[in-house]
Amino acid sequence: MPVEPLICADTATRVSSVLNRDVKQFGKKHMFDMNEETCWNSDQGTCQWVTLDFPRTVKVSQLHVQFQGGFSSRLCTLEGCRAGEELVKIADLYPEDINAMQISFATFQVEETVLDKLKITFENSTDFFGRIVVYHLGVLGERL
């Protein structure tokens, strides 16, 4: 079955922080607006994260992340669960920080996992202060 984007208007999203709490300029919605000039920018601190609660059960097979160079994560941990269950680790992913002036785009194949909730933890920022900048976040797979 072909993969399709799983994040939709009914997907509930949460993020660990927003730079200076300025959600209008740097809020989570900018990861999904398909505008290459807007982004989610976390505040400083270790282990920034994004959670996605899908409106129905999905089978995840790919993760697309577009970071700002210099503000990416060396290690991303994926966790997921079915409704009412505890999060369990799915995979560790290792994005590359291509160039400080460039936007790096990473596509990761993940072992197909059936879940209702996905958490992506950015554990090791390339920024000295722990900030993460994401221009695009996409999860692909199959709706069940």
Side-chain angles (χ1 to χ4, degrees):
M1 189 154 223
V3 296
E4 62 180 315
L6 300 176
I7 299 172
C8 64
D10 294 328
T11 303
T13 59
R14 291 186 62 213
V15 293
S16 51
S17 65
V18 174
L19 184 64
N20 300 325
R21 296 187 180 169
D22 186 351
V23 295
K24 185 174 183 179
Q25 187 172 359
F26 300 118
K28 63 188 178 187
K29 67 181 181 235
H30 296 302
M31 288 187 284
F32 315 111
D33 66 4
M34 304 308 281
N35 181 342
E36 58 189 44
E37 296 188 13
T38 62
C39 62
W40 166 60
N41 193 332
S42 77
D43 217 335
Q44 61 186 14
T46 57
C47 290
Q48 302 296 328
W49 50 263
V50 174
T51 60
L52 304 165
D53 284 296
F54 298 100
R56 56 191 268 204
T57 303
V58 298
K59 185 189 295 185
V60 173
S61 59
Q62 290 181 24
L63 177 72
H64 295 187
V65 184
Q66 187 174 20
F67 292 106
Q68 170 67 48
F71 295 91
S72 64
S73 178
R74 292 182 189 98
L75 169 63
C76 296
T77 301
L78 296 184
E79 298 173 286
C81 64
R82 299 294 305 269
E85 296 179 359
E86 294 290 319
L87 289 168
V88 295
K89 187 173 178 176
I90 298 169
D92 286 330
L93 309 175
Y94 300 92
E96 294 181 31
D97 187 19
I98 307 286
N99 181 319
M101 296 302 291
Q102 202 174 6
I103 294 173
S104 56
F105 190 80
T107 299
F108 298 98
Q109 293 292 128
V110 296
E111 186 174 326
E112 288 190 342
T113 307
V114 175
L115 49 81
D116 295 296
K117 180 177 185 173
L118 179 67
K119 181 176 183 180
I120 306 158
T121 304
F122 305 105
E123 301 211 25
N124 193 355
S125 175
T126 57
D127 174 57
F128 181 75
F129 297 102
R131 295 168 294 191
I132 297 290
V133 177
V134 176
Y135 282 85
H136 174 73
L137 177 65
V139 179
L140 280 74
E142 180 183 344
R143 288 183 175 88
L144 302 178

